[in-house]
Amino acid sequence: MTQRVVFIGAAGEMCRLAIERFAKAGGDWSLTLCDIRPELLEPLARKLPAGLATVRRLDLYNRENLLEVISGAALVVLGAGPYIRTSEPVIEACLEARVPYLDFDDDVESTTHALSLADRAKEAGIPIYVGCGASPGMSNVLAVDAASELDTVENIELGWVVGDERPNVGRAVLEHLMHIAAGECLTWENGGPVVHDSYVETAIMPMGGGMGDTLLYETAHPEPVTLPRKYPQAKRIRCLGGLDPMPFNGLARGLGLAIQNDKMTVKEAVDYIQEVLHNRFTDVTGLRHTLKGMRGQIRRGEMETGEMVKFLAKSTLRRRYPWRGGLLARVTGTRDGIPAVAIRRTPISGPDLYMANSMGGLTGTACAAFMLLALDEAGKRTGSFAPEDWADPQAFYAALERVGTPRKEIVESV
């Protein structure tokens, strides 16, 4: 019998890719594509197999309309961000309608809230799957896979890099970036939760995809909040991320601090970044804070002055950098009583690849794979779950292949 999958926020780049990749796996599904701007979905619906998808307008804050749309669905996928604003009303509707829920939430606050609803989800007889994207999501699975090599786990470090995607970055993504570029960063240190300042601590990570040793910044992501539930004896669990090229990190940090210090609003900062993404530097206030952030990088030895000059010159000439990015999990502990390190990472990246070709490619492809696993287990699980709670690494890698990912692009061990 045909089962229905509902996508909310389907016009977003990451959700659109999740839909396209999920469709490649086949299966007896009908897809309901929802967005507040349904006209943006018509080209996507035409690309999919005939009759597979229908398009609907939906304002996710309209509770009555939301309940009507999701009623009877096999799975509801929330792709609209930022999740600190969007996840609660959709999860509440799914609990009331008793339909399974899945998202790729990358905000700590909304992830924590979703996991706190485990008892209500059990009462409703449904699963709530949170963080089913790239980071969090695939990064958690890589960590579980790496940890399986060891007898004891002492430290877990997750790394992500996103490349130059000018000009195609949505406002929700930029709001999330501003949310994690400064302010509190809940992490796990000395065997317990602590609060750091986001984007301050750094580490060198041996990223794949041709990047090599890469300087990354500690960021306020959900992995250090969810993974300690599986590895409570770990001394440290943290998530580090970065943007490529390096000056983008100075831009993010400078604007994040401006917001934190009430020098700019989030809206003003996002408006300015969108100007930069279109290679314009007309906002003097935004430019001043950007340069301040980049000069901080130079002062701390994170990059050379020449890198900043090159970045500004190329931006003025409307030239982009080749896209590089990927995911990594590095786990340290012991094996047979001897200190050991296990690493899992995406092996290759670039604009011509299937998965690690953009932030949307990584997130959308991973989300489609998680969807397959969730639907394969329909009716078998109730409660709230982060990826490490339920997604077996080998089953996840197989699901990535089912949604079209070439095996050589999925994972390598180091």
Side-chain angles (χ1 to χ4, degrees):
M1 188 175 86
T2 300
Q3 293 183 288
R4 192 164 60 93
V5 178
V6 176
F7 294 87
I8 298 173
E13 177 69 9
M14 297 179 199
C15 196
R16 179 182 65 79
L17 280 163
I19 294 164
E20 291 179 355
R21 303 289 158 87
F22 177 73
K24 287 181 178 293
D28 194 9
W29 310 107
S30 68
L31 310 184
T32 302
L33 313 183
C34 303
D35 202 274
I36 199 166
R37 304 160 298 172
E39 67 277 4
L40 300 181
L41 293 171
E42 294 298 343
L44 171 59
R46 288 194 294 270
K47 286 178 62 176
L48 299 174
L52 178 62
T54 57
V55 171
R56 293 197 56 165
R57 184 187 186 282
L58 175 66
D59 178 352
L60 64 86
Y61 299 106
N62 183 327
R63 180 173 169 276
E64 189 173 307
N65 190 202
L66 178 59
L67 285 169
E68 185 267 323
V69 169
I70 69 174
S71 178
L75 184 67
V76 170
V77 180
L78 176 61
Y83 285 98
I84 51 175
R85 293 205 303 265
T86 61
S87 68
E88 185 172 5
V90 179
I91 292 176
E92 287 295 330
C94 287
L95 287 168
E96 183 172 343
R98 298 179 180 269
V99 295
Y101 168 93
L102 183 146
D103 66 29
F104 42 88
D105 189 349
D106 50 7
D107 289 316
V108 171
E109 298 88 343
S110 44
T111 295
T112 302
H113 175 71
L115 293 176
S116 74
L117 301 174
D119 289 342
R120 290 182 60 194
K122 290 177 182 178
E123 291 173 7
I126 65 166
I128 295 173
Y129 298 115
V130 294
C132 298
S135 174
M138 185 171 177
S139 62
N140 305 59
V141 175
L142 294 177
V144 172
D145 192 12
S148 69
E149 278 191 19
L150 307 178
D151 299 324
T152 66
V153 171
E154 295 181 3
N155 299 305
I156 301 175
E157 293 180 303
L158 298 310
W160 57 264
V161 175
V162 172
D164 188 348
E165 301 196 2
R166 286 177 280 187
N168 301 313
V169 183
R171 291 189 69 89
V173 172
L174 299 177
E175 286 187 34
H176 170 70
L177 177 61
M178 292 297 93
H179 187 61
I180 68 171
E184 291 188 348
C185 175
L186 184 59
T187 188
W188 187 263
E189 188 174 68
N190 297 321
V194 297
V195 176
H196 288 176
D197 191 9
S198 190
Y199 243 82
V200 172
E201 293 201 12
T202 62
I204 302 293
M205 302 283 272
M207 303 300 295
M211 288 177 283
D213 288 346
T214 304
L215 178 72
L216 301 181
Y217 299 84
E218 187 177 41
T219 54
H221 259 215
E223 293 97 320
V225 177
T226 68
L227 281 166
R229 300 174 314 137
K230 187 174 182 68
Y231 303 103
Q233 303 306 314
K235 294 179 181 177
R236 183 173 68 178
I237 301 175
R238 61 177 179 168
C239 181
L240 301 112
L243 308 174
D244 183 72
M246 181 57 73
F248 270 131
N249 295 292
L251 178 151
R253 179 64 175 166
L255 295 175
L257 285 173
I259 295 169
Q260 187 178 9
N261 296 324
D262 295 324
K263 304 295 185 182
M264 297 183 76
T265 65
V266 173
K267 181 183 183 302
E268 288 169 341
V270 170
D271 288 344
Y272 169 73
I273 299 174
Q274 289 197 312
E275 279 200 2
V276 173
L277 294 175
H278 288 84
N279 300 302
R280 297 192 297 267
F281 294 88
T282 60
D283 183 334
V284 176
T285 300
L287 179 58
R288 184 173 70 251
H289 290 295
T290 291
L291 294 176
K292 185 176 181 180
M294 292 181 186
R295 286 195 296 268
Q297 288 181 288
I298 295 168
R299 186 175 62 254
R300 294 186 297 270
E302 296 166 5
M303 72 173 181
E304 301 292 333
T305 302
E307 291 182 76
M308 180 181 77
V309 173
K310 179 181 177 181
F311 172 80
L312 294 173
K314 290 191 71 165
S315 297
T316 301
L317 295 172
R318 300 178 180 273
R319 293 178 183 171
R320 292 172 52 181
Y321 289 74
W323 196 91
R324 302 189 306 172
L327 303 169
L328 177 145
R330 178 168 61 190
V331 182
T332 61
T334 61
R335 185 190 303 116
D336 298 327
I338 300 172
V341 180
I343 292 176
R344 297 290 188 275
R345 67 189 184 189
T346 47
I348 51 179
S349 71
D352 299 323
L353 296 178
Y354 187 82
M355 183 171 69
N357 60 14
S358 66
M359 179 168 47
L362 277 168
T363 304
T365 308
C367 180
F370 281 115
M371 288 176 59
L372 286 181
L373 295 185
L375 290 163
D376 286 346
E377 296 188 357
K380 299 179 182 178
R381 195 184 301 274
T382 63
S384 295
F385 307 96
E388 65 271 17
D389 299 328
W390 68 285
D392 173 76
Q394 299 309 315
F396 177 74
Y397 302 150
L400 284 173
E401 288 193 73
R402 289 167 62 191
V403 299
T405 312
R407 182 174 299 182
K408 67 179 182 179
E409 293 188 24
I410 293 175
V411 62
E412 68 175 349
S413 304
V414 181

